[in-house]
Amino acid sequence: MPGFELFGKQERNEVNDVLDNGVLMRYGFDAFRNGHWKAKTLEQELKNTLQTKYVQLVSSGTAAVSVALASAGVGAGDEVIMPTFTFVASFEAIMMLGAIPVLVDIDDTLALDPGAVEKAITVKTKAVMVVQMCGSMGRMDALQIICKKYGLLLIEDACQAIGGTFNGKPLGSLGDLGCFSFDFVKTITCGEGGAVITNKEDYYLNADHYSDHGHDHIGHDRGAETHPFWGYNFRISELNAAVGLAQVRRLPEFIEIQKKNYAILRDALSQIPEIIFRTVPDGGEESYAFLNFYLPDLKMANKSIQALKLAGIDGCFHYYNNHWHYIRKWEHLKNLKSLFPISNEVKEGLTYLQNRTFEQSDEFISRNISCLIKLSWTEQEVRDRASKMVEVISHTLKTN
Ligand SMILES: *Cc1c(COP(=O)(O)O)cnc(C)c1O
């Protein structure tokens, strides 16, 4: 997945354009920038790549999720349904707005289980946030139907799935709003950065203003701009946008490499009858950023991950014991470890986490192994890795 592996001449050239005139900010300073508008140009490129009407770049993927929710009017006391398996950014972004994250089970797609979503809906529910984890997607048809039926927003976090599609449409473009991250380890990187995408003009204008102190961006004098509402500073810098501009143009190349490497690994692992690959919904095509599979049980997953490490195979994750991605280790959320006081409404809204268990999520995450697909591997390296993985996992399964 990481675009930083192929940081090269194109990225340096784009950054040098910015360094030449020193205008590091995306807004204003028109006379000094020699026509370089990296953030604006990257937004244009992303519109084409993601087949969407509007793109607003921001400072991170976490900011993108907060800005997307705020732009659609989600705030104090509203419930946002999100998966147990994601990145901590999902609940952070919800909590920042004073809204309440309602965690529900995932299914064999490693994304939201539509049945669990429907059960969790209350009068306070405002949005459903599907997180397209590890290069693939949830059951988008079912989720879209549920959101329509109950009049809920569908927010799509596609931070880990740029380049994937559902029924031919880019992931991230299927919800009312889509969110992307271009942090250092994502498929394309800005160093730090993110984007909100939507086809709705009012959501876009809200995102544009909110991410820059509420500025309306009308005219050419920042000091004279008015503020229809207040906002914050979630701006991306021109330097970061410049890196992303070079990277987005290479996305088709990156996806092709991922697909090739993924296919070699998957082909090899298919020889092992006990391995079941993660379900990709009909009509879906992964971005091939990760290869995900299930082993028979937790014990086998634990043993296999240890054995892979011992054999020198890096980049394989067992998220069951991971502090970043799965509810099981989020003690700081369960125990409301906030730096500052939070509202009683949010406190009460989160009491369910004290004794709620997520057996269905445990069932999938405990058996799942997720392997990062790198861009820099040579074909020989992928083939060697594939045969080593088959050998190690087969041996582990035999020695029970
Ligand atoms: C990386 C990531 C984010 C947050 O992005 P940052 O740019 O690191 O803030 C949010 N959601 C998911 C699923 C991610 O993988």
Side-chain angles (χ1 to χ4, degrees), residues 5-295:
E5 293 177 275
L6 299 185
F7 186 95
K9 212 172 115 201
Q10 296 99 311
E11 286 76 6
R12 262 188 286 276
N13 285 345
E14 295 295 338
V15 173
N16 281 335
D17 278 349
V18 179
L19 294 178
D20 271 350
N21 57 52
V23 179
L24 310 185
M25 188 179 178
R26 68 160 301 179
Y27 297 114
F29 303 93
D30 302 21
F32 304 99
R33 50 201 319 144
N34 296 337
H36 296 311
W37 297 89
K38 298 302 178 186
K40 261 189 200 171
T41 317
L42 175 53
E43 285 170 348
Q44 214 53 48
E45 290 273 346
L46 285 167
K47 275 183 217 173
N48 298 334
T49 300
L50 302 170
Q51 293 166 38
T52 186
K53 275 197 192 149
Y54 304 103
V55 175
Q56 178 64 44
L57 283 173
V58 290
S59 51
S60 71
T62 312
V65 182
S66 273
V67 170
L69 289 167
S71 297
V74 177
D78 292 334
E79 291 179 357
V80 179
I81 293 175
M82 60 165 272
T84 52
F85 175 55
T86 173
F87 178 53
V88 286
S90 300
F91 70 75
E92 290 169 352
I94 295 167
M95 297 280 277
M96 208 195 77
L97 301 168
I100 301 163
V102 175
L103 274 70
V104 308
D105 274 321
I106 55 149
D107 63 20
D108 55 350
T109 64
L110 292 175
L112 279 179
D113 171 10
V117 168
E118 192 156 15
K119 273 195 214 122
I121 294 170
T122 72
V123 289
K124 287 178 152 190
T125 310
K126 210 53 179 295
V128 173
M129 188 197 300
V130 58
V131 184
Q132 316 292 29
M133 285 299 281
C134 309
S136 186
M137 70 214 80
R139 292 184 157 82
M140 296 308 292
D141 281 339
L143 292 168
Q144 280 168 329
I145 288 169
I146 290 169
C147 286
K148 209 164 202 181
K149 179 171 160 193
Y150 294 91
L152 304 174
L153 288 163
L154 182 58
I155 309 282
E156 202 185 347
D157 175 341
C159 290
Q160 293 193 11
I162 193 165
T165 58
F166 180 71
N167 288 342
K169 292 175 96 178
L171 295 181
S173 73
L174 300 149
D176 295 290
L177 294 124
C179 307
F180 291 89
S181 163
F182 307 120
D183 78 21
F184 198 53
V185 297
K186 298 302 202 279
T187 303
I188 58 174
T189 186
C190 288
E192 298 284 1
V196 178
I197 72 169
T198 183
N199 286 317
K200 279 205 166 162
E201 189 182 16
D202 53 345
Y203 292 164
Y204 160 69
L205 288 173
N206 288 345
D208 167 273
H209 300 3
Y210 184 70
S211 58
D212 184 26
H213 305 291
H215 274 271
D216 63 11
H217 297 141
I218 294 171
H220 289 274
D221 177 1
R222 274 178 74 74
E225 289 173 10
T226 66
H227 306 91
F229 48 80
W230 75 72
Y232 298 91
N233 177 0
F234 295 118
R235 294 188 304 256
I236 193 166
S237 87
E238 282 287 276
L239 284 171
N240 292 100
V243 178
L245 187 53
Q247 292 250 307
V248 74
R249 289 173 176 153
R250 305 175 72 185
L251 182 64
E253 173 199 338
F254 290 0
I255 301 296
E256 205 182 297
I257 299 171
Q258 284 180 173
K259 187 172 180 174
K260 201 175 115 220
N261 292 346
Y262 171 108
I264 293 171
L265 290 175
R266 180 165 176 147
D267 225 42
L269 289 170
S270 305
Q271 302 165 34
I272 305 176
E274 290 91 340
I275 283 184
I276 296 170
F277 293 99
R278 177 252 291 269
T279 303
V280 178
D282 284 344
E285 178 161 12
E286 297 180 67
S287 76
Y288 308 103
F290 292 84
L291 175 63
N292 281 274
F293 54 89
Y294 299 108
L295 289 168

